[in-house]
Amino acid sequence: MLGGSVYIALIRFVISLAGTMLLFSLMSEPRFGKKKTMVGYGCFSIILILAACIWYVADWESCVRMVAFVMYVCFAVFAMCMSSDHIYLSLYKLALTFYLLAVFLLGGIEVSVIFFDRNVWVDIIIRILLILLMAFFIEKKIKNSIRGFGYYVENELDRFSVTVMIISILFGIGFILNPNIKEQTPYRLFQIAMNFFLTGALQLLVFRLYLHIGKEKEYQKENQLMQMNHRLLERNMELLEDAVESGRRLRHDMRHHNAVIAEYARQRQNEELMQYLEEYNKEADEEIPKAVCANTAVNNILLAYTRKAREEQIKVTLDVALGKNLAIPNIDLVTILANAYENAIYGCIEVKKQFPEKECFIHLMIKKKKNKLVIFCSNTCKLETELKNGQPKPEFTGGIGVSSIIKTADNFDGEYDFKNDNGVFIFRLIMNVPVA
């Protein structure tokens, strides 16, 4: 602090707190609406600044030493309540804001001391300029990327490493803002510069690390979608091949049936002909696959995967009640059902590899109740099937499917869960059906 009257201190407090709030709000997602957020920050600022001014008048020496830390700690607690980010992500953004706070605080003081003989107005002007410069840079250059980075941190962060990083940043900036070091020697300035460089480099490294991890996950999801599309194409090709083979067999059998019918007609054996036609119609009806539901896309995909499951000697139970026209696009329904069914088959196959004699099953239920679509799928799975963040690990699902299910379900405000119930894997999903 450079001293001055309580009015000068008031101006500094207002600028520093407003700058901190501005920088943090540019990076954070608010919990409440814009109006409520502004009112909350405004009331908090008035109370905190008044308390700081009273402290400044009552005990100037202790206020100079501790006011920056105390005000920031109060702001940090309040900001976490006002932010919708998870606690670790909020702590990371607060650590970054603390770093920027140190930049404009130290920048204003050092410029004033070194070049302008401790002029308090120079300190105030430099703080404002640095805050505006950093806010402009965040808004124009890194706002979108840092919010995207926040998504990656929430989903991929290693909490231990983030905790160590935050503690390191706070210790580094705490050393920079140490009020007991009053000598402005070249060595002191070198220490400040090195600490700013190291803490800034740490921020950059963590940012790049999690950004890289997040992008890798995005590439993996795209690869999973490609695998899913490949398997869907395989199922559709199998259906097409079945249709072609059935057509060939039908044409071949038709010649024989026509010959038999013609012979009965020549012999005028009408009773025998009628009996033969009844047997033929009964046999034809048995060969036609029974429809699972009225929805063509869902019916075809379920028939394809059911045949695949039965080829693997898996017992399948289907309980499906869907109308022909559903407001959810067929591509989204197929994405969810194909992935769930594919993963169920994979889980059963893995169990059969361990226990060839074990009887595996898949139970799939799909119901529409009012404006909700309910999907339930249970299947035999390994006892050691584990979940991470409420989702099955890729090694237990064949590496595909879950992210596609979740992404599609989120588009319809879906609620889902996965669990391993003592060797039975259960997937449940409830989605809102849009109004047609």
Side-chain angles (χ1 to χ4, degrees):
M1 293 287 286
L2 300 176
S5 66
V6 68
Y7 302 106
I8 298 296
L10 173 64
I11 294 173
R12 283 187 180 139
F13 293 153
V14 170
I15 292 171
S16 299
L17 185 58
T20 304
M21 289 180 176
L22 174 62
L23 297 175
F24 180 76
S25 62
L26 286 174
M27 297 180 288
S28 177
E29 295 286 350
R31 185 186 300 272
F32 308 106
K34 186 176 181 180
K35 184 177 180 180
K36 191 172 182 180
T37 300
M38 292 180 66
V39 171
Y41 274 120
C43 295
F44 169 78
S45 301
I46 292 171
I47 295 171
L48 188 61
I49 290 171
L50 286 176
C53 290
I54 294 171
W55 186 10
Y56 187 84
V57 173
D59 189 354
W60 178 86
E61 186 176 352
S62 65
C63 181
V64 168
R65 287 200 308 268
M66 299 297 298
V67 69
F69 290 103
V70 173
M71 288 183 68
Y72 182 77
V73 169
C74 294
F75 167 75
V77 174
F78 181 77
M80 283 193 290
C81 296
M82 297 294 289
S83 174
S84 62
D85 296 324
H86 292 178
I87 183 169
Y88 270 86
L89 183 56
S90 293
L91 287 174
Y92 172 80
K93 291 180 178 179
L94 285 168
L96 177 56
T97 306
F98 193 25
Y99 175 77
L100 299 177
L101 167 68
V103 170
F104 69 73
L105 282 181
L106 267 293
I109 292 173
E110 296 301 329
V111 170
S112 175
V113 169
I114 296 172
F115 299 106
F116 295 94
D117 193 25
R118 307 177 72 88
N119 188 299
V120 293
W121 295 108
V122 171
D123 172 33
I124 291 172
I125 293 171
I126 295 299
R127 290 188 190 191
I128 294 174
L129 290 176
L130 287 175
I131 290 170
L132 293 177
L133 182 64
M134 289 186 289
F136 177 81
F137 181 76
I138 292 173
E139 178 68 27
K140 297 297 182 181
K141 299 294 183 182
I142 64 172
K143 181 178 179 178
N144 292 331
S145 62
I146 203 167
R147 286 190 173 181
F149 157 79
Y151 170 78
Y152 297 143
V153 170
E154 282 188 23
N155 290 275
E156 311 297 340
L157 64 79
D158 173 5
R159 286 174 171 77
F160 175 77
S161 63
V162 173
T163 302
V164 171
M165 180 273 297
I166 292 172
I167 292 173
S168 301
I169 291 173
L170 295 179
F171 273 121
I173 300 173
F175 175 79
I176 294 171
L177 296 176
N178 186 356
N180 295 321
I181 303 176
K182 300 180 180 180
E183 297 182 5
Q184 299 297 328
T185 63
Y187 179 69
R188 165 64 177 161
L189 296 178
F190 175 76
Q191 285 181 315
I192 292 174
M194 284 299 98
N195 271 277
F196 271 126
F197 172 76
L198 292 174
T199 50
L202 180 59
Q203 291 273 1
L204 180 62
L205 286 174
V206 172
F207 178 82
R208 297 288 296 177
L209 171 64
Y210 282 110
L211 200 62
H212 175 73
I213 292 174
K215 288 182 177 179
E216 281 292 317
K217 290 293 183 180
E218 291 295 327
Y219 295 147
Q220 290 179 14
K221 290 179 181 178
E222 290 179 4
N223 184 47
Q224 290 177 6
L225 287 173
M226 292 176 63
Q227 292 183 44
M228 184 201 72
N229 289 332
H230 175 72
R231 295 190 182 187
L232 283 175
L233 285 173
E234 286 182 341
R235 299 290 93 81
N236 287 328
M237 288 297 295
E238 290 172 2
L239 286 173
L240 183 59
E241 289 174 0
D242 280 350
V244 172
E245 182 62 29
S246 297
R248 289 174 181 170
R249 186 171 60 252
L250 184 62
R251 288 192 298 271
H252 180 268
D253 293 343
M254 189 61 67
R255 290 195 296 269
H256 294 288
H257 292 307
N258 289 339
V260 173
I261 292 171
E263 185 62 28
Y264 277 128
R266 279 194 295 269
Q267 298 294 331
R268 299 183 182 276
Q269 297 176 331
N270 295 332
E271 293 183 5
E272 289 82 354
L273 174 59
M274 294 301 298
Q275 183 179 355
Y276 176 79
L277 289 175
E278 288 178 4
E279 292 176 356
Y280 174 73
N281 289 334
K282 183 179 179 181
E283 182 180 343
D285 289 339
E286 290 176 353
E287 290 183 357
I288 297 175
K290 293 182 180 180
V292 178
C293 67
N295 187 291
T296 305
V298 173
N299 181 73
N300 289 339
I301 201 66
L302 292 182
L303 287 176
Y305 277 102
T306 299
R307 191 190 65 174
K308 176 70 174 177
R310 286 171 177 162
E311 287 176 357
E312 299 291 341
Q313 297 181 344
I314 300 170
K315 183 180 179 182
V316 177
T317 304
L318 298 178
D319 183 9
V320 183
L322 278 183
K324 186 174 183 180
N325 297 318
L326 195 64
I328 298 175
N330 287 333
I331 185 64
D332 294 319
L333 281 174
V334 168
T335 297
I336 294 172
L337 296 175
N339 279 293
Y341 215 152
E342 184 84 42
N343 293 339
I345 293 173
Y346 179 86
C348 292
I349 291 174
E350 290 299 300
V351 171
K352 281 186 170 293
K353 288 180 181 178
Q354 286 185 333
F355 310 100
E357 302 302 322
K358 185 176 179 64
E359 183 178 1
C360 295
F361 72 89
I362 296 174
H363 176 212
L364 179 63
M365 182 195 74
I366 309 170
K367 301 282 186 180
K368 181 179 178 296
K369 298 181 179 179
K370 296 183 180 180
N371 66 328
K372 301 289 185 181
L373 180 67
V374 181
I375 298 175
F376 173 90
C377 183
S378 62
N379 61 274
T380 311
C381 70
K382 292 182 177 180
L383 287 173
E384 59 268 25
T385 299
E386 297 178 2
L387 303 180
K388 180 182 180 182
N389 298 326
Q391 302 174 20
K393 292 183 177 180
E395 56 265 32
F396 297 109
T397 62
I400 71 167
V402 175
S403 60
S404 300
I405 293 172
I406 292 173
K407 185 177 180 179
T408 306
D410 287 339
N411 293 335
F412 299 92
D413 298 324
E415 297 181 6
Y416 49 83
D417 72 335
F418 306 86
K419 69 175 181 178
N420 179 3
D421 186 10
N422 195 29
V424 176
F425 188 82
I426 297 175
F427 160 60
R428 294 179 292 186
L429 169 65
I430 299 178
M431 293 196 306
N432 292 323
V433 178
V435 178

